[in-house]
Amino acid sequence: MKPPYWQLNRLEMRVLQQKLTEWIESLTGSHRKKMITLCEDTGLVKQNLQRLYSRFHWIRIDAAYHVGTMRSEEAVPRLLQLLQTKKLDPTHFIIARSIAKCARNLDDIRNMLMLLIKHRKSNHFLAVDIMKETELDCTPLLLECLRSTDKDLNKIALIGWSAPLTAEIADLVYRQIDSEDNEVRIQSVRLLFEYDAVLATALFESLMKTNDTEVCQNTEMIEMYASCRKQINEDEQADKKNHYVYAV
């Protein structure tokens, strides 16, 4: 697609921007890249990069949203600067989401996360949702967060982890069971259920004996435990039957 051959006025640029951003968000792959290239060719990216420096707050936020939609890597340094100097409010997360969309590497995502957690608010699920906007593989960064001594980073890693667990990573997750944070313990048990049902079932029953109500009364944990316990019981019954048949 090529830009219009005539000079667009302000209203036409606004309409074009709205339509292109809608297409970018609904398309993937090469089709999305074509739309992003058209944004660059029509000057929309340059226009919004300039608007990031406006003295008006609402203009900066609007520009942050649009450079994020247009995946402008050039905007990342300014977006990080805005996130660092801005007080926490709902627009804080608009900037963070744009950083994730435009991220050049995992350092950009790491810096964005550190600026989010510095406020020490319970926005871990939102932080994970924002991370999912990037096209980068965040597994190495999540592993780094899991190894961290920062409990907020631990929680983000446990919530956001989606890759299969290895024995080493499962060991790191298991160490979080003793955390004083309820959500950390819940997310740790959840991952262990996905890794080793027998181990997690035994762990859950151990937590029941120690009256860890936050974990053992969690609806998701109860459902996972019930499903795994049922499967284990069925497997044990099948093994007994096989042994009996073999003995006979």
Side-chain angles (χ1 to χ4, degrees), residues 138-241:
C138 290
T139 303
L141 178 57
L142 290 173
L143 181 56
E144 180 182 321
C145 292
L146 187 59
R147 287 173 171 158
S148 172
T149 56
D150 188 295
K151 293 304 177 185
D152 286 303
L153 291 178
N154 292 160
K155 200 176 298 186
I156 288 172
L158 293 168
I159 294 170
W161 194 275
S162 60
L165 294 186
T166 62
E168 178 189 359
I169 297 171
D171 182 60
L172 290 173
V173 173
Y174 187 82
R175 294 178 189 178
Q176 302 294 330
I177 297 298
D178 294 328
S179 172
E180 296 179 357
D181 190 290
N182 300 336
E183 191 61 44
V184 169
R185 297 201 306 280
I186 289 171
Q187 295 299 328
S188 298
V189 174
R190 177 185 64 81
L191 286 176
L192 290 174
F193 266 119
E194 297 175 1
Y195 172 69
D196 188 329
V198 176
L199 169 66
T201 298
L203 175 61
F204 190 86
E205 291 171 349
S206 174
L207 293 174
M208 290 172 65
K209 293 178 181 178
T210 59
N211 295 319
D212 189 338
T213 56
E214 287 80 7
V215 175
C216 298
Q217 292 182 5
N218 180 273
T219 303
E220 183 183 7
M221 295 299 100
I222 293 173
E223 291 177 353
M224 295 179 79
Y225 168 72
S227 176
C228 291
R229 171 44 68 190
K230 180 181 178 182
Q231 185 61 51
I232 291 171
N233 291 340
E234 289 176 354
D235 291 343
E236 289 176 349
Q237 290 297 322
D239 286 341
K240 288 180 180 179
K241 183 177 180 180

